[in-house]
């Protein structure tokens, strides 16, 4: 994600694998959060375990509108 977004070293990237509790959701999902030093955080949820996510999956997530968080 850091490479795909060309992020600097001061921008934090968090990746968490979580149990998905929503109906029709796979048992595990992966949440990627980008926290820049300045500006809004961005978050993407991928509905698969972290070890199954490919670079193509990340690219597809980036094309979707990220969820904005303050």
């Amino acid at each position: 994600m850091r490479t795909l977004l060309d992020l600097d070293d001061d921008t934090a990237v968090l990746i968490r694998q979580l149990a998905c509790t929503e109906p029709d959701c796979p048992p595990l999902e992966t949440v990627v959060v980008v926290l820049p030093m300045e500006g809004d955080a961005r978050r993407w949820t991928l509905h698969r375990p972290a070890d199954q996510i490919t670079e193509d999956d990340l690219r597809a997530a980036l094309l979707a509108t990220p969820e904005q968080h303050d």
Side-chain angles (χ1 to χ4, degrees):
M1 195 58 110
R2 184 174 294 286
T3 301
L4 292 173
L5 290 173
D6 193 30
L7 300 174
D8 60 36
D9 291 339
D10 292 332
T11 299
V13 177
L14 306 173
I15 300 173
R16 299 283 313 244
Q17 182 173 277
L18 306 167
C20 186
T21 58
E22 297 180 23
D24 300 321
C25 183
L28 293 174
E29 66 182 8
T30 302
V31 177
V32 178
V33 180
V34 174
L35 301 164
M37 292 295 287
E38 295 182 21
D40 293 332
R42 294 177 286 168
R43 181 182 136 196
W44 295 266
T45 301
L46 294 93
H47 295 285
R48 59 177 22 156
D51 64 352
Q52 293 179 10
I53 293 175
T54 66
E55 189 172 327
D56 287 337
D57 294 328
L58 293 175
R59 280 194 183 102
L62 291 175
L63 292 175
T65 303
E67 304 166 30
Q68 295 290 328
H69 296 275
D70 296 324

